[in-house]
PDB file of all heavy atoms in Angstrom:
ATOM      1  N   ARG Q 522       4.013   7.900 -15.704  1.00  0.00           N
ATOM      2  CA  ARG Q 522       4.422   7.032 -14.604  1.00  0.00           C
ATOM      3  C   ARG Q 522       5.909   7.220 -14.355  1.00  0.00           C
ATOM      4  O   ARG Q 522       6.654   7.649 -15.231  1.00  0.00           O
ATOM      5  CB  ARG Q 522       4.143   5.565 -14.928  1.00  0.00           C
ATOM      6  CG  ARG Q 522       2.649   5.279 -15.124  1.00  0.00           C
ATOM      7  CD  ARG Q 522       2.313   3.819 -15.044  1.00  0.00           C
ATOM      8  NE  ARG Q 522       2.579   3.202 -13.754  1.00  0.00           N
ATOM      9  CZ  ARG Q 522       1.798   3.347 -12.674  1.00  0.00           C
ATOM     10  NH1 ARG Q 522       0.739   4.108 -12.718  1.00  0.00           N
ATOM     11  NH2 ARG Q 522       2.092   2.709 -11.560  1.00  0.00           N
ATOM     12  N   LEU Q 523       6.334   6.857 -13.154  1.00  0.00           N
ATOM     13  CA  LEU Q 523       7.740   6.939 -12.765  1.00  0.00           C
ATOM     14  C   LEU Q 523       8.189   5.556 -12.301  1.00  0.00           C
ATOM     15  O   LEU Q 523       7.576   4.979 -11.397  1.00  0.00           O
ATOM     16  CB  LEU Q 523       7.923   7.962 -11.636  1.00  0.00           C
ATOM     17  CG  LEU Q 523       9.297   8.044 -10.976  1.00  0.00           C
ATOM     18  CD1 LEU Q 523      10.351   8.507 -11.982  1.00  0.00           C
ATOM     19  CD2 LEU Q 523       9.259   8.994  -9.788  1.00  0.00           C
ATOM     20  N   LEU Q 524       9.223   5.018 -12.951  1.00  0.00           N
ATOM     21  CA  LEU Q 524       9.827   3.753 -12.518  1.00  0.00           C
ATOM     22  C   LEU Q 524      11.149   4.074 -11.853  1.00  0.00           C
ATOM     23  O   LEU Q 524      12.005   4.725 -12.448  1.00  0.00           O
ATOM     24  CB  LEU Q 524      10.069   2.810 -13.706  1.00  0.00           C
ATOM     25  CG  LEU Q 524      10.946   1.594 -13.410  1.00  0.00           C
ATOM     26  CD1 LEU Q 524      10.292   0.669 -12.384  1.00  0.00           C
ATOM     27  CD2 LEU Q 524      11.279   0.834 -14.678  1.00  0.00           C
ATOM     28  N   ILE Q 525      11.299   3.629 -10.626  1.00  0.00           N
ATOM     29  CA  ILE Q 525      12.566   3.775  -9.911  1.00  0.00           C
ATOM     30  C   ILE Q 525      13.203   2.400  -9.888  1.00  0.00           C
ATOM     31  O   ILE Q 525      12.717   1.481  -9.239  1.00  0.00           O
ATOM     32  CB  ILE Q 525      12.352   4.316  -8.490  1.00  0.00           C
ATOM     33  CG1 ILE Q 525      11.575   5.636  -8.550  1.00  0.00           C
ATOM     34  CG2 ILE Q 525      13.693   4.509  -7.794  1.00  0.00           C
ATOM     35  CD1 ILE Q 525      11.138   6.161  -7.198  1.00  0.00           C
ATOM     36  N   SER Q 526      14.293   2.245 -10.631  1.00  0.00           N
ATOM     37  CA  SER Q 526      14.942   0.946 -10.791  1.00  0.00           C
ATOM     38  C   SER Q 526      16.107   0.797  -9.816  1.00  0.00           C
ATOM     39  O   SER Q 526      16.829   1.747  -9.537  1.00  0.00           O
ATOM     40  CB  SER Q 526      15.461   0.813 -12.229  1.00  0.00           C
ATOM     41  OG  SER Q 526      16.161  -0.394 -12.382  1.00  0.00           O
ATOM     42  N   GLY Q 527      16.273  -0.413  -9.314  1.00  0.00           N
ATOM     43  CA  GLY Q 527      17.416  -0.720  -8.458  1.00  0.00           C
ATOM     44  C   GLY Q 527      17.205  -0.376  -7.000  1.00  0.00           C
ATOM     45  O   GLY Q 527      18.160  -0.155  -6.265  1.00  0.00           O
ATOM     46  N   VAL Q 528      15.957  -0.353  -6.550  1.00  0.00           N
ATOM     47  CA  VAL Q 528      15.667  -0.036  -5.149  1.00  0.00           C
ATOM     48  C   VAL Q 528      15.987  -1.262  -4.294  1.00  0.00           C
ATOM     49  O   VAL Q 528      15.600  -2.378  -4.619  1.00  0.00           O
ATOM     50  CB  VAL Q 528      14.184   0.375  -4.970  1.00  0.00           C
ATOM     51  CG1 VAL Q 528      13.855   0.611  -3.505  1.00  0.00           C
ATOM     52  CG2 VAL Q 528      13.888   1.611  -5.799  1.00  0.00           C
ATOM     53  N   ASN Q 529      16.697  -1.038  -3.219  1.00  0.00           N
ATOM     54  CA  ASN Q 529      17.084  -2.110  -2.304  1.00  0.00           C
ATOM     55  C   ASN Q 529      15.842  -2.787  -1.742  1.00  0.00           C
ATOM     56  O   ASN Q 529      14.848  -2.139  -1.438  1.00  0.00           O
ATOM     57  CB  ASN Q 529      17.930  -1.525  -1.164  1.00  0.00           C
ATOM     58  CG  ASN Q 529      18.507  -2.599  -0.274  1.00  0.00           C
ATOM     59  OD1 ASN Q 529      17.789  -3.303   0.407  1.00  0.00           O
ATOM     60  ND2 ASN Q 529      19.819  -2.696  -0.284  1.00  0.00           N
ATOM     61  N   ALA Q 530      15.913  -4.114  -1.593  1.00  0.00           N
ATOM     62  CA  ALA Q 530      14.773  -4.890  -1.100  1.00  0.00           C
ATOM     63  C   ALA Q 530      14.363  -4.470   0.304  1.00  0.00           C
ATOM     64  O   ALA Q 530      13.211  -4.635   0.697  1.00  0.00           O
ATOM     65  CB  ALA Q 530      15.111  -6.375  -1.125  1.00  0.00           C
ATOM     66  N   GLY Q 531      15.274  -3.895   1.069  1.00  0.00           N
ATOM     67  CA  GLY Q 531      14.967  -3.469   2.431  1.00  0.00           C
ATOM     68  C   GLY Q 531      14.286  -2.112   2.519  1.00  0.00           C
ATOM     69  O   GLY Q 531      13.884  -1.691   3.604  1.00  0.00           O
ATOM     70  N   VAL Q 532      14.162  -1.413   1.390  1.00  0.00           N
ATOM     71  CA  VAL Q 532      13.539  -0.091   1.380  1.00  0.00           C
ATOM     72  C   VAL Q 532      12.081  -0.234   0.950  1.00  0.00           C
ATOM     73  O   VAL Q 532      11.799  -0.658  -0.166  1.00  0.00           O
ATOM     74  CB  VAL Q 532      14.292   0.868   0.426  1.00  0.00           C
ATOM     75  CG1 VAL Q 532      13.578   2.215   0.355  1.00  0.00           C
ATOM     76  CG2 VAL Q 532      15.733   1.036   0.857  1.00  0.00           C
ATOM     77  N   SER Q 533      11.182   0.111   1.856  1.00  0.00           N
ATOM     78  CA  SER Q 533       9.751   0.011   1.534  1.00  0.00           C
ATOM     79  C   SER Q 533       9.316   1.233   0.732  1.00  0.00           C
ATOM     80  O   SER Q 533       9.986   2.260   0.708  1.00  0.00           O
ATOM     81  CB  SER Q 533       8.925  -0.102   2.810  1.00  0.00           C
ATOM     82  OG  SER Q 533       8.944   1.138   3.496  1.00  0.00           O
ATOM     83  N   THR Q 534       8.156   1.101   0.109  1.00  0.00           N
ATOM     84  CA  THR Q 534       7.582   2.218  -0.633  1.00  0.00           C
ATOM     85  C   THR Q 534       7.328   3.394   0.298  1.00  0.00           C
ATOM     86  O   THR Q 534       7.585   4.544  -0.053  1.00  0.00           O
ATOM     87  CB  THR Q 534       6.268   1.784  -1.324  1.00  0.00           C
ATOM     88  OG1 THR Q 534       6.546   0.670  -2.167  1.00  0.00           O
ATOM     89  CG2 THR Q 534       5.676   2.901  -2.149  1.00  0.00           C
ATOM     90  N   ASN Q 535       6.868   3.094   1.510  1.00  0.00           N
ATOM     91  CA  ASN Q 535       6.595   4.151   2.474  1.00  0.00           C
ATOM     92  C   ASN Q 535       7.884   4.852   2.915  1.00  0.00           C
ATOM     93  O   ASN Q 535       7.911   6.075   3.072  1.00  0.00           O
ATOM     94  CB  ASN Q 535       5.832   3.604   3.680  1.00  0.00           C
ATOM     95  CG  ASN Q 535       5.264   4.711   4.528  1.00  0.00           C
ATOM     96  OD1 ASN Q 535       4.624   5.627   4.011  1.00  0.00           O
ATOM     97  ND2 ASN Q 535       5.507   4.651   5.822  1.00  0.00           N
ATOM     98  N   THR Q 536       8.946   4.085   3.115  1.00  0.00           N
ATOM     99  CA  THR Q 536      10.231   4.676   3.489  1.00  0.00           C
ATOM    100  C   THR Q 536      10.728   5.605   2.392  1.00  0.00           C
ATOM    101  O   THR Q 536      11.195   6.715   2.675  1.00  0.00           O
ATOM    102  CB  THR Q 536      11.278   3.568   3.752  1.00  0.00           C
ATOM    103  OG1 THR Q 536      10.795   2.713   4.776  1.00  0.00           O
ATOM    104  CG2 THR Q 536      12.608   4.153   4.151  1.00  0.00           C
ATOM    105  N   LEU Q 537      10.606   5.171   1.160  1.00  0.00           N
ATOM    106  CA  LEU Q 537      11.005   5.995   0.025  1.00  0.00           C
ATOM    107  C   LEU Q 537      10.140   7.253  -0.047  1.00  0.00           C
ATOM    108  O   LEU Q 537      10.643   8.352  -0.261  1.00  0.00           O
ATOM    109  CB  LEU Q 537      10.907   5.196  -1.273  1.00  0.00           C
ATOM    110  CG  LEU Q 537      11.348   5.908  -2.538  1.00  0.00           C
ATOM    111  CD1 LEU Q 537      12.818   6.281  -2.470  1.00  0.00           C
ATOM    112  CD2 LEU Q 537      11.090   5.036  -3.750  1.00  0.00           C
ATOM    113  N   ARG Q 538       8.850   7.085   0.157  1.00  0.00           N
ATOM    114  CA  ARG Q 538       7.928   8.231   0.122  1.00  0.00           C
ATOM    115  C   ARG Q 538       8.314   9.258   1.178  1.00  0.00           C
ATOM    116  O   ARG Q 538       8.405  10.457   0.902  1.00  0.00           O
ATOM    117  CB  ARG Q 538       6.493   7.753   0.362  1.00  0.00           C
ATOM    118  CG  ARG Q 538       5.465   8.885   0.367  1.00  0.00           C
ATOM    119  CD  ARG Q 538       4.089   8.379   0.763  1.00  0.00           C
ATOM    120  NE  ARG Q 538       3.997   7.992   2.161  1.00  0.00           N
ATOM    121  CZ  ARG Q 538       3.871   8.842   3.179  1.00  0.00           C
ATOM    122  NH1 ARG Q 538       3.842  10.138   2.964  1.00  0.00           N
ATOM    123  NH2 ARG Q 538       3.772   8.398   4.414  1.00  0.00           N
ATOM    124  N   LEU Q 539       8.578   8.804   2.394  1.00  0.00           N
ATOM    125  CA  LEU Q 539       8.950   9.716   3.474  1.00  0.00           C
ATOM    126  C   LEU Q 539      10.295  10.387   3.209  1.00  0.00           C
ATOM    127  O   LEU Q 539      10.460  11.587   3.448  1.00  0.00           O
ATOM    128  CB  LEU Q 539       8.981   8.965   4.811  1.00  0.00           C
ATOM    129  CG  LEU Q 539       7.633   8.475   5.334  1.00  0.00           C
ATOM    130  CD1 LEU Q 539       7.827   7.593   6.554  1.00  0.00           C
ATOM    131  CD2 LEU Q 539       6.720   9.651   5.636  1.00  0.00           C
ATOM    132  N   ALA Q 540      11.253   9.612   2.705  1.00  0.00           N
ATOM    133  CA  ALA Q 540      12.580  10.169   2.421  1.00  0.00           C
ATOM    134  C   ALA Q 540      12.531  11.243   1.351  1.00  0.00           C
ATOM    135  O   ALA Q 540      13.279  12.226   1.400  1.00  0.00           O
ATOM    136  CB  ALA Q 540      13.534   9.053   2.005  1.00  0.00           C
ATOM    137  N   MET Q 541      11.650  11.077   0.391  1.00  0.00           N
ATOM    138  CA  MET Q 541      11.541  12.035  -0.705  1.00  0.00           C
ATOM    139  C   MET Q 541      10.522  13.132  -0.425  1.00  0.00           C
ATOM    140  O   MET Q 541      10.411  14.087  -1.186  1.00  0.00           O
ATOM    141  CB  MET Q 541      11.177  11.312  -2.016  1.00  0.00           C
ATOM    142  CG  MET Q 541      12.231  10.339  -2.495  1.00  0.00           C
ATOM    143  SD  MET Q 541      13.881  11.078  -2.630  1.00  0.00           S
ATOM    144  CE  MET Q 541      13.602  12.367  -3.820  1.00  0.00           C
ATOM    145  N   GLY Q 542       9.758  12.990   0.662  1.00  0.00           N
ATOM    146  CA  GLY Q 542       8.756  13.997   1.001  1.00  0.00           C
ATOM    147  C   GLY Q 542       7.601  14.041   0.019  1.00  0.00           C
ATOM    148  O   GLY Q 542       7.037  15.099  -0.237  1.00  0.00           O
ATOM    149  N   GLU Q 543       7.247  12.887  -0.524  1.00  0.00           N
ATOM    150  CA  GLU Q 543       6.174  12.817  -1.514  1.00  0.00           C
ATOM    151  C   GLU Q 543       4.879  12.359  -0.864  1.00  0.00           C
ATOM    152  O   GLU Q 543       4.877  11.739   0.197  1.00  0.00           O
ATOM    153  CB  GLU Q 543       6.557  11.861  -2.649  1.00  0.00           C
ATOM    154  CG  GLU Q 543       7.762  12.302  -3.440  1.00  0.00           C
ATOM    155  CD  GLU Q 543       7.592  13.630  -4.152  1.00  0.00           C
ATOM    156  OE1 GLU Q 543       6.443  14.016  -4.459  1.00  0.00           O
ATOM    157  OE2 GLU Q 543       8.600  14.299  -4.401  1.00  0.00           O
ATOM    158  N   SER Q 544       3.774  12.643  -1.526  1.00  0.00           N
ATOM    159  CA  SER Q 544       2.459  12.260  -1.008  1.00  0.00           C
ATOM    160  C   SER Q 544       2.194  10.781  -1.274  1.00  0.00           C
ATOM    161  O   SER Q 544       2.737  10.195  -2.209  1.00  0.00           O
ATOM    162  CB  SER Q 544       1.367  13.103  -1.664  1.00  0.00           C
ATOM    163  OG  SER Q 544       1.233  12.755  -3.028  1.00  0.00           O
ATOM    164  N   ASP Q 545       1.344  10.210  -0.437  1.00  0.00           N
ATOM    165  CA  ASP Q 545       0.933   8.822  -0.631  1.00  0.00           C
ATOM    166  C   ASP Q 545       0.165   8.683  -1.942  1.00  0.00           C
ATOM    167  O   ASP Q 545       0.264   7.673  -2.623  1.00  0.00           O
ATOM    168  CB  ASP Q 545       0.076   8.362   0.558  1.00  0.00           C
ATOM    169  CG  ASP Q 545      -0.142   6.866   0.544  1.00  0.00           C
ATOM    170  OD1 ASP Q 545       0.848   6.130   0.322  1.00  0.00           O
ATOM    171  OD2 ASP Q 545      -1.289   6.434   0.742  1.00  0.00           O
ATOM    172  N   GLU Q 546      -0.585   9.719  -2.292  1.00  0.00           N
ATOM    173  CA  GLU Q 546      -1.377   9.707  -3.519  1.00  0.00           C
ATOM    174  C   GLU Q 546      -0.509   9.531  -4.761  1.00  0.00           C
ATOM    175  O   GLU Q 546      -0.808   8.690  -5.615  1.00  0.00           O
ATOM    176  CB  GLU Q 546      -2.167  11.022  -3.622  1.00  0.00           C
ATOM    177  CG  GLU Q 546      -3.050  11.105  -4.844  1.00  0.00           C
ATOM    178  CD  GLU Q 546      -3.789  12.436  -4.891  1.00  0.00           C
ATOM    179  OE1 GLU Q 546      -4.474  12.762  -3.910  1.00  0.00           O
ATOM    180  OE2 GLU Q 546      -3.655  13.127  -5.914  1.00  0.00           O
ATOM    181  N   ILE Q 547       0.568  10.282  -4.865  1.00  0.00           N
ATOM    182  CA  ILE Q 547       1.435  10.176  -6.049  1.00  0.00           C
ATOM    183  C   ILE Q 547       2.160   8.835  -6.079  1.00  0.00           C
ATOM    184  O   ILE Q 547       2.366   8.252  -7.141  1.00  0.00           O
ATOM    185  CB  ILE Q 547       2.418  11.362  -6.154  1.00  0.00           C
ATOM    186  CG1 ILE Q 547       2.953  11.463  -7.576  1.00  0.00           C
ATOM    187  CG2 ILE Q 547       3.571  11.238  -5.175  1.00  0.00           C
ATOM    188  CD1 ILE Q 547       3.646  12.765  -7.886  1.00  0.00           C
ATOM    189  N   MET Q 548       2.525   8.326  -4.900  1.00  0.00           N
ATOM    190  CA  MET Q 548       3.208   7.029  -4.840  1.00  0.00           C
ATOM    191  C   MET Q 548       2.269   5.902  -5.277  1.00  0.00           C
ATOM    192  O   MET Q 548       2.694   4.977  -5.960  1.00  0.00           O
ATOM    193  CB  MET Q 548       3.729   6.759  -3.423  1.00  0.00           C
ATOM    194  CG  MET Q 548       4.826   7.709  -2.969  1.00  0.00           C
ATOM    195  SD  MET Q 548       6.331   7.662  -3.934  1.00  0.00           S
ATOM    196  CE  MET Q 548       7.048   6.133  -3.417  1.00  0.00           C
TER     197      MET Q 548
END
């Protein structure tokens, strides 16, 4: 598993996924 700590409350999981170019499946 991957824990990303300290993510701003305004950043959604989908926004992070798109910014990193990762698949929805891995997220």
Side-chain angles (χ1 to χ4, degrees):
R522 297 197 63 77
L523 172 64
L524 168 64
I525 305 172
S526 176
V528 176
N529 187 294
V532 176
S533 70
T534 303
N535 193 49
T536 302
L537 182 62
R538 179 186 70 78
L539 292 172
M541 296 307 300
E543 297 298 335
S544 69
D545 191 46
E546 181 181 305
I547 199 166
M548 294 298 286

